[in-house]
Amino acid sequence: MSMQLASLPADHAVAVIGRRLFKDAGKALPRVHDASDVEGLHDFRVALRRLRSLLKAYWDEFDGRIDKPLYRRLKSLTSLTNAARDTEVTRAWLLGELPRLGARQRTGVQWWLRRLEVSHAEAYGQLNKRLDAAFRRVARPLDKRLKQLAASPRSPRLFADACAVQLDGLVVQLIEWLDAARQLEDEVALHRARITGKRIRYLLSPLAKEVAACDIAVQEMTRFQDLLGDIHDCFVRAAAIRAVLPQAAGEWSERLWENAMAEQGRLSVAGCEEVYGLLAVGRRNRELSERLFRRLEERYHHERDDFLTIMQRASQALRETGLVAALQRA
């Protein structure tokens, strides 16, 4: 992005960035349907998430020219991809865990992987049926509104100034959520901190090439996001394991019943490798989440002053950039 972006009216800059992001999503859309392209869905989701975050951050700059029903349609479009993404992430993690597991434990994981293959195929089947039409319903009206914003900007603030205001508010929210996340069980606070951190990173990314302090802040927020994203994935996996565990236990109890009815000898309750394997991988997932949370405490609870200084420098640099741009425009 050029130096001119910081000096544009906020709504004009948002329109420029928004159209580029939606174009990126459109380019990634055919790749979602290509089973050999493992990054297609990820790239599509990232472009849409960045666009949604951009619109949400600068909503007050639009003066009603982008309506909430259109924004909700954009959000629903992203939601269509959630099931496919969750199965992909879980499969990748389980495949990485397999070499570290014993034979009995692998039995349970392989049992789950077979079912994830079915869930993954079903999720992509639904995605392939619905995604293109949902994208078209959003594409034309959104592009029209963004063009109007660029053609007739009304925002009194320059983009750099508007970005600084948003950054200051988001940093306050982030610290509040981190303060509330004092243990791993504070899942809601950790989720809110993750989302707020992501919004900060998306907020600053368009200006990272123009403002060096923003680039540093983006790098810091990327590390933060990677850490909290890994914790979030642990929560998703734990919920998935708890959801699938009764199915494994049910299949085992059905086998026990059939054996008990068919055999005249001594009854046995052996042979529940599926449940054993799921519990084992569940424990490994819990241990991983605990290690990640300790890392979070060390980095962002004990080193908070350094973290805040990075964000404050970005805010100050944005305001200085906005002042220079305003003087040049005067």
Side-chain angles (χ1 to χ4, degrees):
M1 302 225 178
S2 67
M3 272 298 293
Q4 188 180 6
L5 189 62
S7 62
L8 290 176
D11 49 356
H12 187 178
V14 168
V16 172
I17 301 166
R19 294 192 70 200
R20 290 177 181 176
L21 289 171
F22 205 66
K23 185 178 180 180
D24 289 343
K27 288 181 178 178
L29 180 59
R31 297 168 52 208
V32 176
H33 303 302
D34 182 358
S36 65
D37 191 334
V38 295
E39 296 296 327
L41 180 62
H42 173 266
D43 291 346
F44 180 75
R45 284 171 55 85
V46 167
L48 290 183
R49 284 203 311 264
R50 286 179 177 271
L51 177 57
R52 283 178 50 211
S53 184
L54 179 78
L55 297 180
K56 185 174 183 178
Y58 299 103
W59 193 263
D60 291 341
E61 308 293 338
F62 302 149
D63 194 26
R65 287 172 290 167
I66 296 181
D67 55 39
K68 290 186 177 180
L70 181 56
Y71 179 81
R72 286 195 291 268
R73 253 184 282 167
L74 181 62
K75 184 176 182 180
S76 297
L77 176 63
T78 311
S79 299
L80 286 177
T81 66
N82 288 347
R85 184 266 181 191
D86 288 344
T87 55
E88 281 188 347
V89 171
T90 303
R91 284 172 63 221
W93 183 75
L94 288 175
L95 289 170
E97 288 296 299
L98 271 177
R100 304 182 181 93
L101 300 174
R104 287 186 67 198
Q105 295 171 342
R106 285 198 298 271
T107 299
V109 172
Q110 290 164 342
W111 174 90
W112 192 14
L113 279 170
R114 289 193 294 272
R115 280 147 184 81
L116 279 174
E117 291 293 341
V118 174
S119 299
H120 184 258
E122 291 175 348
Y124 262 90
Q126 290 297 315
L127 204 56
N128 289 333
K129 289 178 182 178
R130 303 170 59 190
L131 190 60
D132 287 17
F135 186 82
R136 287 194 297 270
R137 284 195 297 271
V138 176
R140 183 173 295 179
L142 181 59
D143 190 57
K144 179 181 178 180
R145 305 289 168 75
L146 291 174
K147 283 181 179 178
Q148 291 171 347
L149 289 177
S152 303
R154 301 177 190 171
S155 176
R157 292 190 295 187
L158 300 184
F159 186 55
D161 294 318
C163 185
V165 171
Q166 291 297 317
L167 175 60
D168 292 344
L170 287 173
V171 169
V172 170
Q173 292 177 27
L174 177 60
I175 295 304
E176 289 176 350
W177 287 120
L178 285 175
D179 283 342
R182 287 301 182 178
Q183 55 185 356
L184 187 57
E185 284 68 29
D186 295 325
E187 188 171 343
V188 172
L190 287 166
H191 172 73
R192 296 295 184 185
R194 179 179 68 89
I195 295 300
T196 305
K198 184 180 294 186
R199 290 180 63 192
I200 292 174
R201 180 162 60 91
Y202 290 168
L203 181 81
L204 296 177
S205 292
L207 288 169
K209 291 183 178 180
E210 299 182 26
V211 183
C214 288
D215 187 33
I216 294 171
V218 167
Q219 294 177 40
E220 178 65 18
M221 292 311 306
T222 299
R223 289 190 289 269
F224 175 84
Q225 277 302 115
D226 288 345
L227 183 52
L228 271 180
D230 289 342
I231 293 174
H232 172 73
D233 287 343
C234 286
F235 289 146
V236 171
R237 287 192 293 266
I241 294 169
R242 293 186 66 178
V244 77
L245 192 60
Q247 183 181 349
E251 291 183 10
W252 173 56
S253 64
E254 188 66 26
R255 291 199 304 270
L256 287 179
W257 175 258
E258 291 173 358
N259 291 338
M261 296 302 100
E263 297 177 0
Q264 300 299 319
R266 184 173 62 87
L267 299 178
S268 172
V269 293
C272 194
E273 278 76 12
E274 294 88 351
V275 171
Y276 177 78
L278 289 172
L279 292 175
V281 80
R283 181 177 295 173
R284 291 178 65 87
N285 184 62
R286 173 69 186 191
E287 291 169 352
L288 173 60
S289 65
E290 290 172 347
R291 290 197 301 272
L292 291 169
F293 185 77
R294 287 195 295 271
R295 197 181 306 166
L296 176 70
E297 287 185 308
E298 292 169 1
R299 185 171 296 175
Y300 295 104
H301 287 162
H302 300 160
E303 301 174 10
R304 172 175 301 188
D305 289 346
D306 293 340
F307 179 74
L308 283 175
T309 297
I310 291 173
M311 298 303 141
Q312 289 165 355
R313 286 174 178 168
S315 177
Q316 181 179 353
L318 284 168
R319 295 179 190 281
E320 291 173 354
T321 300
L323 178 60
V324 171
L327 290 173
Q328 290 174 344
R329 291 168 66 92

